Amino acid sequence: MRSQSAPKNRKSKLQLIHQYYSYTGFYNFIWENIKKSILPFILIIGGLILIDRFVIDFNSFFSYITENYSAISIFSLFFTSESLLGLIPPELFIAWVNTLPNPFLNLSLLALLSYLGGCVSYFIGRGILSIPKVSHYLESKMAKHIINIRKWGGFLIIVGALLPIPFSMVSIAAGIISFSFRRYLMYGLFRFLRFYLYALAIFSLMS
């Protein structure tokens, strides 16, 4: 006798994935980080507006920067920052490229450098595995990121690329657990979307 067909109430793969992310708190994690990102974004944008109106004209300031420092040196500084824990807020560089010729072309270059900086962070994570003391130290300091990326994998990389979660930290954690680099490259492309969305807000405020 042929075996009976699968029960109609059997959950699909998509439903099982949804259930897994619900049970492991992924959706709550995203929501909490969205809430956390709203206030800093408002403060940064509001601060830029207030400084521009009452302290210094940003167009003049960035023009001074451009005249006295080469674009290569500024892009190099940004790349270094994005490779090492995002020490300088990318929003400042986004505002700067708006004062350059072909701002969207330069914005795309910023996004590419941020993406490549994440790749550097990924290989930093892979490299520290060969240094036991450093590896142990970072694993203890980044325990939360490592646990989360083991649970959620590529989805956490997407969230890190889009939200103000330190993308470099997520990238280092991905390297530490030897997450597939090919998949990392694919998920990390959402970094470009973040820069374009932020630029829409910042460019419109500076116009």
Side-chain angles (χ1 to χ4, degrees):
M1 182 180 294
R2 293 182 178 179
S3 60
Q4 295 181 348
S5 59
K8 292 184 179 180
N9 63 349
R10 183 177 178 180
K11 294 181 179 180
S12 67
K13 184 176 180 179
L14 186 61
Q15 289 174 316
L16 290 173
I17 292 173
H18 168 69
Q19 186 178 49
Y20 171 77
Y21 284 108
S22 296
Y23 287 166
T24 56
F26 180 69
Y27 300 125
N28 287 334
F29 174 80
I30 292 178
W31 175 239
E32 289 300 319
N33 278 280
I34 288 175
K35 289 192 295 184
K36 289 178 183 178
S37 68
I38 290 174
L39 181 58
F41 180 75
I42 292 174
L43 291 175
I44 290 172
I45 298 300
L48 289 174
I49 294 173
L50 291 174
I51 293 172
D52 184 53
R53 290 186 178 179
F54 301 108
V55 181
I56 185 172
D57 178 61
F58 270 124
N59 287 320
S60 300
F61 173 72
F62 287 129
S63 295
Y64 172 82
I65 294 296
T66 304
E67 290 170 3
N68 290 273
Y69 301 92
S70 68
I72 293 177
S73 63
I74 298 173
F75 281 122
S76 298
L77 174 64
F78 174 72
F79 176 70
T80 303
S81 173
E82 291 295 279
S83 302
L84 302 174
L85 308 181
L87 301 175
I88 306 174
E91 291 78 15
L92 293 177
F93 294 91
I94 293 174
W96 169 67
V97 298
N98 190 41
T99 65
L100 301 178
N102 302 314
F104 280 98
L105 177 62
N106 286 290
L107 175 69
S108 298
L109 178 56
L110 275 185
L112 176 62
L113 290 174
S114 180
Y115 178 73
L116 294 176
C119 294
V120 171
S121 296
Y122 173 91
F123 283 107
I124 289 174
R126 291 289 294 266
I128 63 173
L129 293 176
S130 61
I131 311 174
K133 288 185 178 180
V134 177
S135 176
H136 178 72
Y137 173 78
L138 282 181
E139 284 184 12
S140 64
K141 291 294 182 181
M142 298 175 57
K144 184 177 180 180
H145 290 286
I146 294 171
I147 290 171
N148 286 340
I149 201 166
R150 280 179 174 150
K151 285 192 298 185
W152 303 322
F155 283 100
L156 183 64
I157 296 172
I158 293 173
V159 172
L162 288 173
L163 298 180
I165 301 171
F167 185 54
S168 179
M169 294 285 283
V170 173
S171 300
I172 290 174
I176 288 175
I177 70 166
S178 297
F179 187 83
S180 166
F181 184 59
R182 184 176 180 180
R183 291 168 60 197
Y184 170 84
L185 290 176
M186 180 177 64
Y187 296 134
L189 289 172
F190 280 88
R191 194 66 175 165
F192 287 85
L193 179 59
R194 179 187 189 275
F195 273 73
Y196 295 139
L197 290 176
Y198 272 58
L200 286 175
I202 294 172
F203 286 8
S204 62
L205 290 170
M206 293 181 65
S207 59

